[in-house]
C-alpha cells in the first residue's frame, strides 16, 4: 500500500507519500480501506517532534480517518466486512481507575492514534475495534473522515468539562480552525450566546454561518476590549482557548467574575505568563480537557451524522499532497478542515 509518512522529524520536506508495508489486523482489530482522513494541528506537532514522544520510524501520521472494513480479527464482534467506520483516536488502557469510572480520556496511559502510535493517513489501516465508530451509509467520506477528533474534543470541552448552560455567554477563539468551528456549533446548539474570533472578514462570516452571534477580527481589534464593551464590562462566562500563549492573558481578561477558561491545546505555546491575581480575585476556573469518552463520542457523532453539526471542509487533497495540507494548517489558510484522500480514491 501507499502511505503518508516521515522518517525523521522536521519541516514539511520530510513528508513523503510512498510504499509502506500492508498492515496485518490483530485479534481485536479491523483492517480498514481508508477513503478519507482529515489533518489536525496534532499532525504538525508530531511531524516537528513532541517532547517525550518517541515514534517508531518511519511514522504514518493521521488521527482522523474513515473507510470500509475489509477484514476483521478473530476477536472483533461489533464490525464485519463492508461496514462503514470512522476512527476515534483516543486509546485507553481499560483497567486504571479513570477507565473503570468511565473517564477513559483521563486514562493514566492514554495515547492517541497518529501521535503516539501509527496513524491512518494511508490506503489501509489496522485499527482496534474500540477505536472505531459506525458511520451510516448516507454520510459522505469527507464528513466521516473529518468529524471525530474536533467534534468530540469540543463537545467534552464545552458540555462535560465546561458545563455550559443555556443563556450563558461563551467566547470561542480561533473559530476558523477545526476545534473552533466545532465549538461554535456546539455552543449554539447548547443555547449559549456565542462570541467568536477569526482573522479575516471571510472567516468571520463563516463563523456566523456556524452559529456565532457576535464576531471579532483579532487582527484589527483587541478581542478582550471588544468583549468587555459588548457585554457592558461584564465579560463572558466561558472562554474556549486552544491557542495558548498568544491569547492567554486576554482570555482571562475576557471572563466575568466566576467565569472559566477551558483549554485543550496551545498552538502558539504552552507556557504563557499568567495573571494569578486576576484568577483568584475574580474567582476564575482554569479547566483542562482532551478528547472524549466513548459515550461522548457516540453522542456528538450522532449529531454529525444526522446533519445537526457540519464539519466545514476547506479543501480536499490527494495524500501525495500532504505537505501542502500541512502548509495550509501552518499558515491558517481558509476555514474548517483539510481532508486528504488516497490518490487511488481520486
Amino acid at each position: 500500500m501507499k502511505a503518508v509518512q516521515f522518517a525523521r522529524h522536521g519541516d514539511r520536506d520530510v513528508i513523503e507519500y510512498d510504499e509502506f508495508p500492508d498492515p496485518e489486523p490483530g485479534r481485536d482489530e479491523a483492517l480498514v480501506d481508508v477513503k478519507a482522513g482529515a489533518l489536525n494541528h496534532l499532525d504538525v506537532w508530531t511531524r516537528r517532534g513532541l517532547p517525550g514522544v518517541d515514534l517508531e520510524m518511519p511514522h504514518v501520521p493521521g488521527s482522523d480517518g474513515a473507510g470500509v472494513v475489509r477484514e476483521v480479527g478473530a476477536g472483533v464482534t461489533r464490525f464485519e466486512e463492508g461496514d462503514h467506520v470512522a476512527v476515534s483516536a483516543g486509546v485507553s488502557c481499560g483497567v486504571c481507575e479513570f477507565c473503570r469510572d468511565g473517564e477513559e480520556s483521563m486514562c493514566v496511559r492514554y495515547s492517541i492514534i497518529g501521535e503516539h502510535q501509527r496513524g491512518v493517513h494511508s490506503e489501509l489501516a489496522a485499527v482496534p475495534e474500540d477505536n472505531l465508530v459506525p458511520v451510516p451509509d448516507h454520510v459522505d467520506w469527507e464528513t466521516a473522515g473529518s468529524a471525530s477528533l474536533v467534534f468530540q474534543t469540543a463537545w467534552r470541552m464545552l458540555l462535560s468539562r465546561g458545563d455550559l448552560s443555556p443563556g450563558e455567554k461563551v467566547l470561542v477563539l480561533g473559530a476558523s480552525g477545526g476545534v473552533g468551528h466545532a465549538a461554535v456549533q456546539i455552543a449554539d446548539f447548547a443555547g449559549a450566546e456565542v462570541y467568536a474570533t477569526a482573522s479575516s472578514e471571510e472567516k468571520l462570516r463563516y463563523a456566523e454561518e456556524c452559529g456565532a452571534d457576535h464576531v471579532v477580527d483579532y487582527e484589527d481589534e483587541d478581542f478582550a476590549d471588544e468583549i468587555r464593551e459588548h457585554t457592558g464590562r461584564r465579560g463572558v462566562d466561558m472562554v474556549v482557548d486552544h491557542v495558548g500563549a498568544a491569547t492567554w492573558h486576554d482570555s482571562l481578561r475576557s471572563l466575568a467574575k466566576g467565569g472559566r477558561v477551558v483549554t485543550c491545546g496551545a498552538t502558539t505555546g504552552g507556557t504563557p505568563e499568567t495573571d494569578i491575581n486576576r484568577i483568584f480575585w475574580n474567582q476564575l476556573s482554569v479547566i483542562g480537557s482532551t478528547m472524549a469518552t466513548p459515550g461522548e463520542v457516540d453522542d456528538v457523532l450522532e449529531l454529525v451524522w444526522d446533519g445537526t453539526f457540519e464539519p466545514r471542509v476547506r479543501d480536499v487533497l490527494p495524500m501525495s499532497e500532504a505537505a501542502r495540507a500541512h502548509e495550509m494548517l501552518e499558515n491558517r489558510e481558509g476555514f474548517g478542515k483539510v481532508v486528504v484522500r488516497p490518490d487511488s480514491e481520486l
Side-chain angles (χ1 to χ4, degrees), residues 83-106:
D83 284 349
H84 290 198
V85 293
V87 175
S88 179
V91 180
S92 56
C93 72
V95 297
C96 72
E97 59 181 300
F98 298 105
C99 289
R100 292 196 303 270
D101 289 342
E103 289 290 347
E104 291 89 346
S105 67
M106 297 174 68

Side-chain angles (χ1 to χ4, degrees), residues 4-318:
V4 179
Q5 57 193 283
F6 52 83
R8 67 185 191 282
H9 296 297
D11 207 342
R12 294 186 295 272
D13 59 357
V14 304
I15 302 171
E16 297 181 347
Y17 184 62
D18 208 344
E19 293 296 327
F20 198 89
D22 287 3
E24 294 287 340
R27 174 179 173 80
D28 297 317
E29 294 180 328
L31 183 65
V32 178
D33 187 355
V34 178
K35 302 298 184 182
L39 272 76
N40 298 281
H41 278 282
L42 180 60
D43 296 301
V44 174
W45 303 329
T46 303
R47 186 201 77 222
R48 293 174 179 172
L50 288 165
V53 178
D54 295 320
L55 297 176
E56 181 181 351
M57 296 291 189
H59 178 70
V60 176
S63 301
D64 266 327
V68 179
V69 173
R70 176 182 289 193
E71 181 184 340
V72 297
V76 172
T77 59
R78 294 173 49 234
F79 300 100
E80 59 185 25
E81 182 180 343
D83 284 349
H84 290 198
V85 293
V87 175
S88 179
V91 180
S92 56
C93 72
V95 297
C96 72
E97 59 181 300
F98 298 105
C99 289
R100 292 196 303 270
D101 289 342
E103 289 290 347
E104 291 89 346
S105 67
M106 297 174 68
C107 172
V108 297
R109 289 181 286 278
Y110 198 74
S111 63
I112 299 175
I113 292 170
E115 178 183 359
H116 306 92
Q117 52 188 275
R118 183 178 299 167
V120 296
H121 288 173
S122 52
E123 291 182 320
L124 297 170
V127 183
E129 176 183 28
D130 289 345
N131 291 99
L132 293 174
V133 293
V135 176
D137 289 351
H138 73 269
V139 177
D140 64 80
W141 291 123
E142 286 81 6
T143 296
S146 64
S148 177
L149 192 144
V150 295
F151 275 91
Q152 67 171 282
T153 298
W155 183 268
R156 181 169 173 83
M157 286 179 76
L158 273 73
L159 302 186
S160 301
R161 298 288 290 152
D163 197 25
L164 183 65
S165 298
E168 287 194 303
K169 301 178 187 295
V170 58
L171 168 62
V172 178
L173 302 185
S176 65
V179 170
H181 91 295
V184 169
Q185 294 180 59
I186 292 168
D188 179 55
F189 174 80
E193 184 175 357
V194 185
Y195 296 77
T197 70
S199 61
S200 72
E201 187 67 24
E202 180 184 23
K203 292 177 180 179
L204 294 174
R205 299 291 78 77
Y206 274 122
E208 289 177 326
E209 288 180 15
C210 285
D213 300 295
H214 316 278
V215 293
V216 179
D217 186 336
Y218 65 79
E219 296 280 9
D220 293 337
E221 301 165 309
D222 182 305
F223 73 79
D225 286 346
E226 289 295 310
I227 293 300
R228 304 296 296 185
E229 181 177 341
H230 276 291
T231 59
R233 310 301 300 170
R234 174 187 181 274
V236 296
D237 300 290
M238 179 191 294
V239 175
V240 176
D241 188 336
H242 51 90
V243 181
T247 56
W248 192 253
H249 178 72
D250 283 340
S251 289
L252 297 179
R253 285 181 58 219
S254 300
L255 285 170
K257 285 248 184 182
R260 62 262 194 218
V261 57
V262 188
T263 178
C264 69
T267 56
T268 62
T271 55
E273 291 187 10
T274 195
D275 188 345
I276 294 176
N277 292 340
R278 182 181 295 275
I279 291 173
F280 71 68
W281 188 252
N282 288 344
Q283 301 187 48
L284 306 180
S285 298
V286 176
I287 303 170
S289 185
T290 181
M291 305 290 282
T293 67
E296 291 163 342
V297 173
D298 290 342
D299 288 344
V300 70
L301 289 185
E302 282 299 321
L303 293 168
V304 174
W305 308 152
D306 73 10
T308 301
F309 299 141
E310 178 188 354
R312 299 297 179 95
V313 175
R314 68 181 89 170
D315 208 347
V316 180
L317 300 174

